[in-house]
Amino acid sequence: MFDTAFLDIPALTGAGGTVHLPGSKSISNRVLLLAALSEGRTTVHDLLASDDTAVMLAALRQLGCGVDASGSTAVITGLGGRAVQQQAKLYLGNAGTAMRPLTAALALLGGDFELSGVPRMHERPIGDLVDALRGLGCAIDYLGEDGFPPLHIRTGQLVLDAPIRVRGDVSSQFLTSLLLALPLVASREISIEVVGELISRPYVEITLNLLDRFGIAVQREGWQRFTIPAGSRYRSPGDIHVEGDASSASYFIALGAIGAWAEGQKGIEIEGLGEASIQGDIHFIEAARQMGARIDASANSLRIRRGAWPLKAIALDCNHIPDAAMTLAVMALYADGTSTLRNIASWRVKETDRIAAMACELRKLGASVEEGQDFLKVTPPVLWQTAPIHTYDDHRVAMCFSLAAFNPARLPVRILDPRCVGKTFPDYFETLFSVTRTEPELVPVICIDGPTASGKGTVAAVVAQKLGYHFLDSGAMYRITALAATQAGLAIGPAQEPAIAALARQLPVRFADGKVFLGNQDVTETIRTEEAGMNASRVSALPSVRLALVDLQHGFRQLPGLVADGRDMGTVIFPDAALKIFLTASARQRAERRYKQLISKGISATLGGIQQDLEARDARDMSRQAAPLKPADDAALLDNSELSIEESVAQVLKLWQGTRPF
Ligand SMILES: Nc1ncnc2c1ncn2[C@@H]1O[C@H](COP(=O)(O)OP(=O)(O)OP(=O)(O)O)[C@@H](O)[C@H]1O
Ligand SMILES: Nc1ccn([C@H]2C[C@H](O)[C@@H](COP(=O)(O)O)O2)c(=O)n1
């Protein structure tokens, strides 16, 4: 997951490859609750691992449920219809799929419970569900504003002889919550009557489908009346698989429609989700087709390519695909006219007011947008612009706007707070970058060159981490080459230059989990000695060795960007880098830093000896014929003798920001 303050997505120019989606959020949290209410053990496979499922799992544990979760599998030992813990304070983050069903289940089970969440959760309405439950005799108090969480639930006196009435026109989650929970008390037949037009019906269909898998056969008369038969009891299916998330699929379906265009390309393939899906958002494929996407669908997979281009503008009632419809709003940026998305009032009470949020952010890109209480009209930009995209702690806003990176103006897009995708798709951006392409020159590079122990590596690594960029420690390439040459019995010098260059061309180097491998050998520490540094300096003076390592270094230039440290990053390897820094410090300062570094690792050294070695290494690196150490003509000079690491990083980030169009 990108745990950075913002993520700059470079302009993207193509898409293709296979996507494995995380499990559906709606199915995951429903299945977890049903498994918890059932007797016995349920093994849930392909469970979504995200913020919303994490809060549900934590709540179930607190209630006394057996939860053994690892990766995408969870074994739930159910409560068998009673809360083992009669008292608990449950924190449910911003997960509506946890807050609403747990409210219903706990109110019916009875006990003493407090349910709360993030501030936005306390602005999301729950009054209609509470009213319905109070009508049954449940004891629920508001701890804050009436109609909204946090809630206090106590044991009430249930009266179940009349049909339960619940509004269906604000959120279908109220009906879902009652349907999931009422079998707990269904010693006699219980009916629910929906007041108003039921919205988001496909989500209710998921609920009915999953209830059936857990032994509850709900009878339904249209979308107005639902009956739970007398004597209904949850029965664990033993094992259950969660399908890929259809709402998450929408971003990759859109990606195929926008970015997968070259002849002969296979386009975007989505595995684990297809036409047989029980999720309503699978109908997004029909909307995408209307806009021009070419989609081949099988029961369990989808293949998407660009068809019409520009996309065709649409006018659509989106009530049946409320979450995925947000993706259409961004696809509309690439359409041949104005697109209208209607019947989307439920967007206003989601993670944020999504109509307002989408309108505001689309306008930042140059689109003309008209918003109404329950509609959005989007006209593509005449002149594309870029700006930081505010994401409102809403995962879907963040994911949708990544698609704006295909803009024809080739402008990068800045997504603020990218970690909000953790709600449903923690690895969204990694997945996006694995199936998108751009021109190499559009992938930004920051070069930090400078003499030994000036702090290049330290500063470059922190800058890379803060920007979510890749990191190239080019010195490590020379250190590893020198080590490989020594291990092969080659003397480091001009006589063995061809043989060492041949080794360098095939260097089996791998960087993983903060470690460096030469073949299967962990050489992380071995290449860090002063002797290894000297050998690297010698090997780096051989021109054909330098040439042999060029492709390897270019290979690090990958989405979303690169920070590279070394001696010739800005002068030779990445001459088109957007920012070049030449980082220096006095020889004395550098010797002291290296001395402390070595001593802290338990390596004995003297300050004088280190300063001598370091000056000798600088002299060799600066005087060699091939790619000598020197500032690039367009480099910014930064002397950090008197700066801390944090101050050095801040300076680099400030210079970087100065190069960005945001
Ligand atoms: N202001 C500073 N900026 C960067 N590093 C500093 C600073 N002050 C102390 N250091 C320390 O200096 C030491 C040397 O830093 P680092 O290894 O990053 O240098 P380098 O330039 O990459 O060296 P080399 O070229 O030998 O690989 C580290 O232990 C680092 O923590
Ligand atoms: N781009 C580079 C990086 C490194 N070298 C050489 C010169 C250095 O003395 C040696 C070790 O580098 P370090 O790990 O200390 O940064 O490798 C180079 O020539 N060009």
Side-chain angles (χ1 to χ4, degrees):
M1 185 159 73
F2 282 85
D3 199 9
T4 50
F6 58 84
L7 172 63
D8 289 349
I9 305 179
L12 300 173
T13 56
T18 303
V19 175
H20 303 276
L21 294 171
S24 152
K25 177 187 70 160
S26 305
I27 296 179
S28 292
N29 268 356
R30 281 171 175 78
V31 163
L32 288 177
L33 183 66
L34 287 167
L37 298 177
S38 303
E39 207 142 334
R41 279 152 56 113
T42 307
T43 304
V44 187
H45 302 273
D46 304 324
L47 182 73
L48 169 65
S50 74
D51 296 349
D52 278 14
T53 49
V55 291
M56 179 62 113
L57 287 167
L60 296 181
R61 272 197 195 99
Q62 268 184 273
L63 294 170
C65 219
V67 174
D68 186 1
S70 133
S72 60
T73 305
V75 181
I76 308 294
T77 307
L79 298 165
R82 53 196 192 282
V84 176
Q85 278 305 329
Q86 294 292 311
Q87 212 176 18
K89 288 186 176 182
L90 305 179
Y91 172 77
L92 301 171
N94 199 7
T97 53
M99 175 63 81
R100 280 109 181 222
L102 279 170
T103 296
L106 296 176
L108 292 173
L109 285 170
D112 187 348
F113 304 105
E114 271 183 37
L115 274 58
S116 66
V118 298
R120 174 63 186 168
M121 178 55 94
H122 298 172
E123 294 169 3
R124 297 175 68 182
I126 198 165
D128 293 315
L129 176 61
V130 170
D131 289 348
L133 290 165
R134 281 177 173 169
L136 290 174
C138 295
I140 307 176
D141 300 316
Y142 294 111
L143 292 172
E145 201 182 324
D146 272 10
F148 301 88
L151 304 174
H152 182 205
I153 296 173
R154 291 169 289 112
T155 304
Q157 285 291 322
L158 299 188
V159 185
L160 298 162
D161 46 11
I164 299 152
R165 289 165 63 77
V166 66
R167 273 184 67 179
D169 53 357
V170 175
S171 167
S172 65
Q173 279 185 15
F174 302 151
L175 173 60
T176 278
S177 303
L178 291 171
L179 286 167
L180 290 173
L182 281 169
L184 283 169
V185 290
S187 50
R188 56 189 292 179
E189 183 178 281
I190 305 178
S191 292
I192 308 170
E193 281 178 9
V194 177
V195 180
E197 172 89 4
L198 180 64
I199 60 166
S200 309
R201 290 174 186 173
Y203 287 105
V204 176
E205 284 190 85
I206 297 179
T207 306
L208 297 177
N209 191 306
L210 294 175
L211 276 164
D212 191 56
R213 299 287 309 276
F214 279 82
I216 313 289
V218 178
Q219 293 149 11
R220 135 171 119 76
E221 291 162 40
W223 294 100
Q224 245 36 68
R225 191 179 172 93
F226 298 81
T227 302
I228 296 160
S232 291
R233 282 177 70 84
Y234 302 104
R235 257 195 345 263
S236 165
D239 287 78
I240 188 158
H241 288 260
V242 176
E243 11 173 293
D245 192 293
S247 315
S248 299
S250 70
Y251 313 110
F252 293 96
I253 294 169
L255 185 63
I258 297 166
W261 53 272
E263 269 318 307
Q265 269 182 3
K266 286 168 85 184
I268 294 285
E269 292 201 65
I270 298 177
E271 288 182 346
L273 182 85
E275 279 181 324
S277 170
I278 62 168
Q279 299 166 73
D281 272 353
I282 193 65
H283 294 290
F284 177 82
I285 61 179
E286 290 144 25
R289 276 185 181 130
Q290 271 188 49
M291 292 193 82
R294 281 164 62 195
I295 305 177
D296 302 317
S298 75
N300 283 313
S301 68
L302 301 170
R303 181 144 75 94
I304 309 102
R305 277 163 298 166
R306 189 195 271 187
W309 193 257
L311 294 175
K312 291 185 251 176
I314 48 164
L316 194 71
D317 181 331
C318 298
N319 185 259
H320 62 303
I321 48 168
D323 286 347
M326 291 170 74
T327 312
L328 296 174
V330 179
M331 288 174 80
L333 292 170
Y334 302 99
D336 57 3
T338 301
S339 294
T340 307
L341 310 179
R342 291 193 314 273
N343 209 353
I344 53 170
S346 66
W347 285 21
R348 295 223 180 254
V349 292
K350 297 286 179 138
E351 279 79 344
T352 187
D353 177 340
R354 286 177 166 169
I355 294 185
M358 294 300 285
C360 175
E361 304 310 309
L362 287 165
R363 283 187 193 115
K364 286 184 185 171
L365 299 174
S368 305
V369 184
E370 190 188 331
E371 68 174 282
Q373 189 47 38
D374 68 346
F375 74 86
L376 202 60
K377 271 189 184 182
V378 183
T379 307
V382 177
L383 205 61
W384 279 80
Q385 299 155 10
T386 191
I389 300 296
H390 190 56
T391 49
Y392 309 84
D393 200 17
D394 186 337
H395 53 141
R396 299 208 183 284
V397 176
M399 294 190 275
C400 274
F401 277 91
S402 64
L403 298 168
F406 282 89
N407 66 81
R410 299 204 158 181
L411 294 165
V413 176
R414 174 166 289 183
I415 305 288
L416 299 176
D417 188 26
R419 66 173 78 78
C420 67
V421 301
K423 192 170 201 297
T424 49
F425 201 157
D427 291 335
Y428 172 74
F429 292 107
E430 288 84 347
T431 309
L432 176 76
F433 295 140
S434 74
V435 291
T436 46
R437 277 184 290 283
T438 191
E439 314 304 330
E441 63 273 15
L442 292 175
V443 178
V445 180
I446 300 175
C447 296
I448 306 184
D449 287 306
T452 302
S454 57
K456 308 177 296 296
T458 306
V459 171
V462 180
V463 169
Q465 183 252 320
K466 286 196 180 290
L467 297 174
Y469 282 4
H470 299 277
F471 169 50
L472 166 59
D473 169 7
S474 63
M477 306 299 168
Y478 293 96
R479 288 172 183 260
I480 296 167
T481 304
L483 179 67
T486 312
Q487 286 182 349
L490 300 170
I492 298 175
Q496 297 291 359
E497 186 172 348
I500 301 175
L503 261 182
R505 261 191 297 279
Q506 309 288 330
L507 206 60
V509 56
R510 195 162 50 88
F511 295 83
D513 307 325
K515 290 191 179 334
V516 187
F517 294 89
L518 176 59
N520 290 329
Q521 204 186 339
D522 180 350
V523 297
T524 318
E525 295 303 324
T526 323
I527 60 164
R528 287 295 144 205
T529 63
E530 279 309 273
E531 188 193 351
M534 274 297 187
N535 286 341
S537 176
R538 285 193 195 97
V539 95
S540 71
L542 306 173
S544 44
V545 172
R546 301 198 74 82
L547 201 60
L549 290 173
V550 169
D551 286 350
L552 184 61
Q553 296 173 81
H554 282 168
F556 279 75
R557 189 173 195 171
Q558 287 178 16
L559 290 168
L562 175 66
V563 185
D565 94 83
R567 306 292 188 287
D568 63 342
M569 295 296 95
T571 48
V572 176
I573 304 295
F574 301 111
D576 65 334
L579 177 65
K580 299 173 188 174
I581 308 276
F582 195 80
L583 192 65
T584 55
S586 68
R588 185 68 186 173
Q589 278 283 2
R590 292 189 282 125
E592 277 174 18
R593 289 173 186 174
R594 183 57 30 98
Y595 176 74
K596 282 190 199 148
Q597 202 177 17
L598 292 175
I599 295 297
S600 73
K601 286 185 186 166
I603 301 170
S604 69
T606 65
L607 189 55
I610 289 198
Q611 187 164 339
Q612 237 174 18
D613 281 0
L614 173 149
E615 282 170 339
R617 183 130 73 100
D618 288 350
R620 185 184 305 106
D621 293 344
M622 287 189 287
S623 61
R624 68 184 176 219
Q625 288 295 306
L629 166 65
K630 62 171 184 183
D633 292 342
D634 49 351
L637 302 185
L638 180 58
D639 185 327
N640 72 352
S641 304
E642 304 301 326
L643 299 180
S644 68
I645 295 173
E646 294 70 29
E647 287 166 338
S648 308
V649 168
Q651 292 265 9
V652 175
L653 288 174
K654 193 167 164 219
L655 289 166
W656 178 239
Q657 181 55 32
T659 69
R660 300 296 80 198
F662 306 107

